[in-house]
Amino acid sequence: MTQVDIVASFQTSYFISGLAPFGDSLVVLAYIPGEEDGEKDFSSTAPSRQGNAQRPEVRVVSWNNDELSTDALPVHGFEHYKAKDYSLAHAPFSGSSYAGGQWAAGDEPLYYIVSPKDVVIAKPRDTEDHIAWLLQHGWHEKALAVVESSHGRSELLDEVGSRYLDHLIVERKYGEAASLCPKLLRGSGSAWERWVFHFAHLRQLPVLVPYMPTENPRLSDTAYEVALVALATNQSFHNDLLSTVKSWPSVIYSALPVISAIEPQLNTSSMTDSLKEALAELYVIDGQYEKAYSLYADLLKPEVFDFIDKHNLHDVIQEKVVQLMMLDCKRAVPLYIQNRELISPPEVVKQLLNADNKSDSRHFLHLYLHSLFEVNPHAGKDFHDMQVELYADYDPKMLLPFLRSSQHYTLEKAYEICIKRDLMKEQVFILGRMGNAKKALAVIINKLGDIEEAVEFVTMQHDDELWEELIKQCIHKPEMVGILLEHTVGNLDPLYIVNKVPNGLEIPRLRDRLVKIITDYRTETSLRHGCNDILKADCVNLLIKYYNEARHGISLGNEGDEPRVNMSDHRASQAFEKSLSLKTMEMKSKTGGGGRCCICFDPFSIQNVSVIVFFCCHGYHTTCLTDSYYTSSTKESEATPKEAEAYDDYNGYADDASDENEEETKSDGPRMRCILCTTAAG
């Protein structure tokens, strides 16, 4: 027999119209009446058309009557229905029963709530139902959390994300919506572009730009360009534009549309430094390096010097002289000096003089002209008058060397500047160059009070009158007289100064100074005597050396040194010898005679004729030289006295003849001299 065991028993406050299992729980179709039967109004015999029943409910309860879930059903005409008008049926899954209160996937049963006019189908809720219910109630954030925790379908995430973003946009929470885009849109390029243009339409694109992907996915060029233009046209986002341009790869967009959107803002109130730097970066991307350099210079960017070298922009450095000087004058000055051919010194000076900040520009001008003068003292000669004033203001120690080196400044202007700045040594130098040595000496003595400087100045002038002036101005000042006595040894006679000193003038440390003067004078005298002795000894040694050189023998060679020339052959080839006579004489004039007569070219050994040899090593037969000498003497007699005097100055043969022979030679005619050397000199 079939037996039934009672496993649970409980009472309810409602009528049960149906019952079905639901895992470890029960599904109960509850009917809740409006009023109790005893409380009905029977005063009227006609039936009431106004129902008082409530909606039927589907309740999930435990076996102990603990309510787990309740849902009221919107059934048509529920007001007039009784408990018996409802019924509950269920279609259990086919196959084995559920295990542990859980159905396998796809085996969830269906429940049918039947009323006279409706049939309601119920089934267990899944994650998507829960998400839909959360979205329906406006809990988008919870719905998104459920999708993420349950790893739902990507289509479901897209739908939830899209509805969540729409909700945030409606609520005007643009920043929150933009921050969620990377999580909601993920790698969908089309979704990203759709939202980019949607934000652009709402004029809220700048808040989305920081979250836009540059790869995986990579959007279209237009999307990035629209984003950059949106940043550029909003002054509050110019800093974001700069950081975006630096961080985004330049290959994902074209810089030209963005440049076109920024350039109209130049020289307007909306142009900020960040926008200007961003424009410079875009110029670099687009290859417009000269425009980028101009903006970097205006922004005083330290890297502008490396930028110039990297892109070889030395041709355009003349446009931003003041800016580069303000940025780093130590690098700017050598840059302009090395490129003097591209930008001349007058142009540099002009721009610095026209600068707004006059104090800084004058200092920069001083640095530039100083360096230019060191490189080429004449390159900036037109500005040397200005340079005198600049040295006086910024580097007085360098003024005196400049005054000594330059010849292109006006002495009167320089003197006025030195007077205004109270520069004494410079005044002395200028007065000395102007020829007013006495006034310069007065400045040294009266204002500088430096007697040593005065002595040095007077010594350099080589003017005896200045010594008298120096003594005159110092003679009534005891201390100066003492110093003058110490520093005049070698220039003036100290006794002369002592005689000039007025009687009764007390000179400090006079005794010690006189002792020093005498000692110095003795030392100087001893040095002079020693130098004279050395000079005399050197003269004697040089004369002895000269004498020994003049009296040493001369080698003329012998017959074995070169082949003997046959006279017959010589006469036979006379025509040939005449054609080569000029070359032969030139050769013989450079070398010695070689044991031959330099006229007939016969060896001295084959003729018993006396030989005359000059110090130049050229030798002649006496007969050959006499004949040649006679011919030349005849020509000399026709020469002018000046020519004859010059002719006598040639080097000739000097023997040991006495002064009487020399006088006789002078009276008889010109001295004998080497024919070849005379011809070569002529």
Side-chain angles (χ1 to χ4, degrees):
M1 295 177 62
T2 303
Q3 296 182 352
V4 177
D5 294 332
I6 298 174
V7 296
S9 177
F10 53 84
Q11 294 181 349
T12 64
S13 61
Y14 48 83
F15 295 107
I16 298 175
S17 299
L19 188 65
F22 183 71
D24 292 338
S25 304
L26 296 174
V27 176
V28 179
L29 178 58
Y31 173 80
I32 303 174
E35 295 178 357
E36 296 295 335
D37 293 340
E39 296 178 357
K40 292 182 179 179
D41 185 7
F42 295 102
S43 61
S44 176
T45 57
S48 175
R49 295 185 177 182
Q50 182 67 31
N52 53 10
Q54 298 185 15
R55 293 182 180 183
E57 296 180 355
V58 177
R59 298 188 179 188
V60 179
V61 298
S62 66
W63 293 90
N64 297 323
N65 197 23
D66 296 329
E67 292 188 4
L68 303 178
S69 175
T70 301
D71 283 311
L73 301 178
V75 179
H76 290 85
F78 66 89
E79 300 92 348
H80 306 285
Y81 295 156
K82 301 295 183 180
K84 63 181 180 180
D85 294 327
Y86 298 102
S87 63
L88 174 63
H90 72 284
F93 57 88
S94 60
S96 61
S97 62
Y98 59 89
Q102 299 294 329
W103 283 281
D107 289 339
E108 292 83 357
L110 297 178
Y111 298 88
Y112 301 93
I113 297 92
V114 182
S115 69
K117 292 185 178 180
D118 292 316
V119 176
V120 179
I121 301 174
K123 62 180 181 179
R125 290 179 179 270
D126 57 9
T127 303
E128 294 187 8
D129 294 332
H130 181 50
I131 293 171
W133 184 83
L134 291 173
L135 292 176
Q136 184 180 359
H137 289 77
W139 295 339
H140 298 84
E141 188 173 358
K142 291 183 178 180
L144 180 61
V146 171
V147 173
E148 292 177 343
S149 62
S150 62
H151 304 287
R153 294 178 290 108
S154 60
E155 296 81 359
L156 181 61
L157 181 60
D158 293 340
E159 181 183 357
V160 174
S162 179
R163 293 183 63 175
Y164 191 15
L165 290 177
D166 289 335
H167 169 71
L168 293 174
I169 294 297
V170 172
E171 296 291 330
R172 298 182 182 274
K173 298 179 180 179
Y174 303 110
E176 186 177 352
S179 64
L180 290 174
C181 282
K183 181 169 64 175
L184 300 179
L185 304 181
R186 302 184 312 283
S188 176
S190 59
W192 268 107
E193 292 186 9
R194 179 165 56 85
W195 280 103
V196 165
F197 290 110
H198 187 53
F199 271 82
H201 177 71
L202 297 173
R203 299 183 182 276
Q204 298 297 327
L205 186 55
V207 299
L208 181 62
V209 172
Y211 306 101
M212 290 178 61
T214 57
E215 58 182 3
N216 299 324
R218 174 178 170 180
L219 310 183
S220 63
D221 296 354
T222 306
Y224 296 113
E225 293 163 8
V226 169
L228 293 175
V229 171
L231 294 175
T233 53
N234 193 329
Q235 188 172 358
S236 58
F237 292 99
H238 286 174
N239 291 333
D240 296 332
L241 172 65
L242 177 59
S243 61
T244 303
V245 170
K246 290 183 176 181
S247 61
W248 279 3
S250 60
V251 296
I252 65 175
Y253 63 92
S254 174
L256 197 57
V258 189
I259 293 174
S260 301
I262 299 176
E263 283 182 339
Q265 302 182 57
L266 287 171
N267 303 322
T268 63
S269 58
S270 61
M271 193 65 181
T272 61
D273 289 345
S274 298
L275 183 60
K276 191 176 292 186
E277 186 176 355
L279 180 58
E281 295 287 341
L282 293 170
Y283 278 141
V284 173
I285 294 173
D286 199 47
Q288 303 182 44
Y289 300 117
E290 294 183 2
K291 292 184 178 180
Y293 155 75
S294 179
L295 293 176
Y296 282 140
D298 290 338
L299 293 170
L300 302 180
K301 290 292 181 180
E303 60 269 17
V304 68
F305 294 98
D306 297 330
F307 187 78
I308 292 172
D309 295 334
K310 179 179 179 181
H311 299 288
N312 193 21
L313 298 175
H314 299 92
D315 294 340
V316 295
I317 59 175
Q318 67 270 19
E319 300 175 359
K320 302 293 180 181
V321 174
V322 179
Q323 289 85 341
L324 293 184
M325 287 288 191
M326 293 175 61
L327 183 59
D328 190 348
C329 59
K330 293 182 179 180
R331 297 186 65 179
V333 169
L335 180 65
Y336 284 111
I337 290 178
Q338 293 170 6
N339 295 275
R340 295 194 302 275
E341 299 78 7
L342 300 175
I343 176 170
S344 61
E347 180 62 25
V348 176
V349 173
K350 179 181 177 182
Q351 292 193 36
L352 291 176
L353 290 177
N354 294 332
D356 296 334
N357 194 334
K358 297 299 182 183
S359 59
D360 289 342
S361 62
R362 281 178 56 82
H363 182 240
F364 297 148
L365 186 60
H366 161 67
L367 296 176
Y368 172 75
L369 292 177
H370 171 67
S371 299
L372 182 64
F373 182 78
E374 289 184 338
V375 174
N376 186 351
H378 306 290
K381 61 182 180 180
D382 297 336
F383 308 105
H384 282 196
D385 285 334
M386 182 191 305
Q387 204 166 351
V388 171
E389 186 174 359
L390 293 173
Y391 273 121
D393 291 338
Y394 297 103
D395 197 355
K397 294 181 180 179
M398 293 299 298
L399 178 56
L400 187 57
F402 173 77
L403 295 174
R404 290 173 176 170
S405 303
S406 174
Q407 302 291 332
H408 305 291
Y409 60 89
T410 305
L411 295 174
E412 291 77 8
K413 293 182 179 179
Y415 183 65
E416 292 177 0
I417 293 172
C418 293
I419 291 177
K420 291 180 181 178
R421 305 298 194 281
D422 200 24
L423 302 174
M424 298 301 173
K425 292 185 178 181
E426 289 75 7
Q427 292 182 38
V428 171
F429 176 79
I430 295 174
L431 288 172
R433 178 168 282 189
M434 294 171 68
N436 197 346
K438 290 185 178 181
K439 188 173 181 180
L441 183 61
V443 171
I444 296 174
I445 296 174
N446 299 325
K447 294 184 178 181
L448 288 177
D450 191 347
I451 191 63
E452 298 180 11
E453 181 74 19
V455 172
E456 182 180 356
F457 176 77
V458 175
T459 303
M460 293 175 60
Q461 297 297 320
H462 302 291
D463 188 352
D464 294 338
E465 294 183 0
L466 278 182
W467 285 110
E468 294 290 341
E469 183 69 21
L470 175 61
I471 296 172
K472 179 180 177 182
Q473 296 193 22
C474 296
I475 202 67
H476 298 288
K477 300 176 182 178
E479 183 62 33
M480 286 191 175
V481 172
I483 298 175
L484 185 62
L485 288 172
E486 292 180 357
H487 293 84
T488 52
V489 176
N491 298 309
L492 285 178
D493 186 0
L495 186 59
Y496 177 75
I497 300 175
V498 172
N499 292 331
K500 288 278 189 178
V501 175
N503 294 329
L505 183 65
E506 295 183 2
I507 301 175
R509 298 184 292 109
L510 178 60
R511 182 184 62 182
D512 297 337
R513 285 170 170 167
L514 290 177
V515 170
K516 183 178 182 299
I517 291 172
I518 295 171
T519 304
D520 292 344
Y521 185 76
R522 289 177 177 175
T523 302
E524 183 181 358
T525 304
S526 176
L527 289 174
R528 287 184 178 179
H529 287 311
C531 291
N532 289 333
D533 294 340
I534 294 172
L535 182 61
K536 291 177 180 179
D538 289 343
C539 290
V540 171
N541 293 333
L542 290 175
L543 286 173
I544 294 173
K545 182 178 179 181
Y546 176 74
Y547 174 75
N548 292 332
E549 289 288 339
R551 66 191 294 271
H552 75 275
I554 298 174
S555 175
L556 297 177
N558 50 43
E559 294 185 20
D561 293 339
E562 52 187 37
R564 182 172 180 176
V565 181
N566 194 327
M567 292 300 293
S568 60
D569 295 340
H570 177 70
R571 292 189 182 93
S573 59
Q574 185 176 3
F576 179 74
E577 292 291 342
K578 288 182 179 180
S579 64
L580 297 178
S581 61
L582 181 60
K583 294 183 180 180
T584 304
M585 291 182 68
E586 183 178 357
M587 178 187 68
K588 292 297 182 179
S589 65
K590 295 180 180 179
T591 62
R596 297 175 178 272
C597 175
C598 291
I599 294 180
C600 67
F601 302 109
D602 288 339
F604 295 127
S605 59
I606 65 174
Q607 295 186 24
N608 190 14
V609 180
S610 60
V611 178
I612 297 177
V613 181
F614 293 93
F615 190 73
C616 57
C617 299
H618 293 145
Y620 303 90
H621 291 121
T622 304
T623 55
C624 296
L625 183 62
T626 304
D627 294 340
S628 177
Y629 173 72
Y630 175 76
T631 304
S632 61
S633 298
T634 304
K635 294 180 179 179
E636 285 181 6
S637 63
E638 299 175 359
T640 61
K642 290 184 179 180
E643 293 175 350
E645 183 179 357
Y647 187 71
D648 290 341
D649 289 338
Y650 286 107
N651 185 20
Y653 169 74
D655 54 7
D656 295 334
S658 62
D659 295 339
E660 295 178 359
N661 293 336
E662 290 180 2
E663 292 177 0
E664 183 178 355
T665 303
K666 289 181 181 179
S667 61
D668 293 342
R671 295 172 57 185
M672 296 183 67
R673 51 198 168 277
C674 176
I675 299 298
L676 287 179
C677 294
T678 304
T679 304

